[in-house]
Structure formats: structure tokens, C-alpha cells
Amino acid sequence: MVFANKIINLANDHMKKGQGVEDLAQGIRHAAANFSAYAFFLTGQDTKDPNYVVEDFVRFFEYYLSAHAPKHDPGSGLADTIAQAKDEL
């Protein structure tokens, strides 16, 4: 995780300098795919099926999608609807 945080800090620094967030994310994905493929063959896997690497990425991505999702107050939707109805009367 220390190395991952260094990469995230580097991306954050580049964002502060005006680099687009999508460009940074694409660059990180490209680098991760490139290095993961290199490491896959360097480690001499018994099976040459990279699906576990892809599944590992998907698990992390799903976790962080949930972690970074905007938090909404569940009751505010109803309150907004009631307020709108009162305004229309």
C-alpha cells in the first residue's frame, strides 16, 4: 500500500498542476497493465492464465467505486419532493 499511495500522491500533484483527472487515470491504468503483464511472465507462473490478475483489479475497482461514491442523505429526496409540492400549491 505504501507504493500505491506514492503513485496516488504523484497523480494528485499532477492534478494540482492542471493535468486532467481522466488522463491521469488512463496513464495509471496503462502503467498498471504494462507492469502487471511484465511481472506475470517474470514470475514464471505455472499456468499462463492472467484472469486472476484481471479479477484482482476488478475487486479493487469495485471496492473503490463504493468507497468514493458520493454520499447522499437518504431522507433528503422525500424532503425535496415535499418542499416542491408545497411550492406548487
Side-chain angles (χ1 to χ4, degrees), residues 31-48:
N34 186 348
F35 194 82
S36 295
Y38 170 74
F40 178 79
F41 289 110
L42 189 65
T43 58
Q45 298 294 321
D46 291 336
T47 62
K48 295 297 181 192

Side-chain angles (χ1 to χ4, degrees), residues 29-80:
R29 286 190 303 268
H30 179 95
N34 186 348
F35 194 82
S36 295
Y38 170 74
F40 178 79
F41 289 110
L42 189 65
T43 58
Q45 298 294 321
D46 291 336
T47 62
K48 295 297 181 192
D49 183 6
N51 284 327
Y52 78 92
V53 176
V54 174
E55 290 166 2
D56 193 44
F57 173 82
V58 170
R59 277 192 300 275
F60 277 122
F61 188 59
E62 288 172 341
Y63 170 80
Y64 285 114
L65 280 174
S66 175
H68 291 292
K71 307 295 185 239
H72 297 289
D73 181 13
S76 68
L78 179 58
D80 291 343

Side-chain angles (χ1 to χ4, degrees), residues 1-13:
M1 290 305 290
V2 171
F3 184 68
N5 287 334
K6 287 181 181 184
I7 293 169
I8 291 168
N9 288 336
L10 180 64
N12 286 332
D13 290 344

